């Protein structure tokens, strides 16, 4: 938390949503979506400095998913203020695709930022389409340079898990087929 609060982008705008989510958080800038990318970059730069020389167990690893979209203030069952909406849901799904060090952006946010400033053109890169829940496909971009982000395309874990699951199902079916063939041979021998 201290690393995030030490980032300039975090301190530039007072109108923001901060929502703890267990081992992570949602930070939404209400007036300037550009600040989400700037915060991600600054946090990565600070983490690289912090992690330098640390062992694997002591390093802080993050993945960041950025999106733009509607977010609503709602009251939860205990009447606490909470936030919900397509902007948060999409950012979470974008983040879920990423791995260590990724700063991933939804298609709409990436295109808006690329149209906003030429300085983003060398750092915001199209990386492809990724499958998510309910058969949806997201077009994603990754932000990276020498001192932030991860230039490697993320593995599509959902796709890998689906393929692995199918592989095991096929192996099970092959085993059952072998058993049926063996049983049939035994019945003929009688």
């Amino acid at each position: 938390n201290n690393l995030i609060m030490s980032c300039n982008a975090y301190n530039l705008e007072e109108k923001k949503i901060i929502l703890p989510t267990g081992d992570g958080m949602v930070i939404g800038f209400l007036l300037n979506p550009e600040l989400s990318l700037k915060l991600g970059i600054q946090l990565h730069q600070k983490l690289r400095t912090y992690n330098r020389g640390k062992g694997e167990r002591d390093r802080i690893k993050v993945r960041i998913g950025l999106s733009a979209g509607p977010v609503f203030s709602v009251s939860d069952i205990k009447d606490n203020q909470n936030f919900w909406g397509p902007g948060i849901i999409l950012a979470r799904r974008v983040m879920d695709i990423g791995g260590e060090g990724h700063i991933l952006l939804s298609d709409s946010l990436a295109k808006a930022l690329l149209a906003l400033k030429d300085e983003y053109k060398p750092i915001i890169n199209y990386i492809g389409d990724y499958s998510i829940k309910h058969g949806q496909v997201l077009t994603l971009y990754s932000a990276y340079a020498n001192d932030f982000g991860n230039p490697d395309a993320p593995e599509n874990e959902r796709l890998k898990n689906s393929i692995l699951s199918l592989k095991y199902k096929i192996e099970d079916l092959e085993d059952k087929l072998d058993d049926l063939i063996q049983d049939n041979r035994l019945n003929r021998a009688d």
Side-chain angles (χ1 to χ4, degrees):
N1 289 347
N2 291 337
L3 285 174
I4 291 172
M5 290 186 289
S6 72
C7 294
N8 291 334
Y10 180 85
N11 295 301
L12 283 176
E13 183 180 311
E14 289 186 26
K15 292 196 175 209
K16 59 183 165 271
I17 294 169
I18 302 166
L19 181 62
T21 60
D23 64 349
M25 68 177 60
V26 171
I27 300 173
F29 294 95
L30 301 179
L31 301 178
N32 186 350
E34 185 180 11
L35 290 177
S36 61
L37 176 59
K38 288 184 176 187
L39 177 60
I41 291 169
Q42 291 170 7
L43 178 60
H44 270 227
Q45 291 167 334
K46 289 181 181 291
L47 282 170
R48 286 199 182 193
T49 301
Y50 175 85
N51 287 334
R52 196 171 292 128
K54 294 212 179 342
E56 184 66 23
R57 293 189 74 180
D58 297 324
R59 291 176 56 230
I60 297 175
K61 302 171 191 175
V62 298
R63 57 191 173 138
I64 297 173
L66 305 176
S67 179
V71 176
F72 307 99
S73 176
V74 296
S75 294
D76 66 16
I77 198 163
K78 294 182 180 179
D79 209 30
N80 297 316
Q81 184 184 23
N82 206 334
F83 298 96
W84 173 90
I88 290 175
I89 293 167
L90 183 56
R92 169 64 191 263
R93 290 186 178 159
V94 169
M95 182 203 64
D96 285 345
I97 292 170
E100 180 183 344
H102 281 118
I103 302 173
L104 300 182
L105 294 86
S106 68
D107 184 49
S108 59
L109 180 60
K111 286 180 178 175
L113 293 174
L114 288 167
L116 186 64
K117 291 185 180 172
D118 286 340
E119 72 186 65
Y120 293 130
K121 289 181 180 168
I123 64 169
I124 297 177
N125 302 279
Y126 168 79
I127 56 170
D129 293 337
Y130 288 80
S131 297
I132 61 167
K133 281 183 166 183
H134 313 298
Q136 265 186 302
V137 176
L138 292 180
T139 299
L140 295 182
Y141 291 74
S142 182
Y144 60 85
N146 291 334
D147 59 340
F148 66 86
N150 179 346
D152 298 327
E155 298 282 333
N156 193 334
E157 292 300 320
R158 184 176 304 282
L159 180 60
K160 279 180 27 182
N161 290 338
S162 294
I163 291 170
L164 195 57
S165 176
L166 285 173
K167 179 183 173 210
Y168 292 138
K169 286 178 183 176
I170 289 170
E171 288 173 355
D172 285 344
L173 288 173
E174 287 172 339
D175 289 344
K176 288 179 182 177
L177 183 59
D178 286 344
D179 290 344
L180 287 172
I181 291 170
Q182 186 64 29
D183 288 346
N184 193 24
R185 286 185 187 150
L186 290 174
N187 288 339
R188 284 189 189 165
D190 291 341

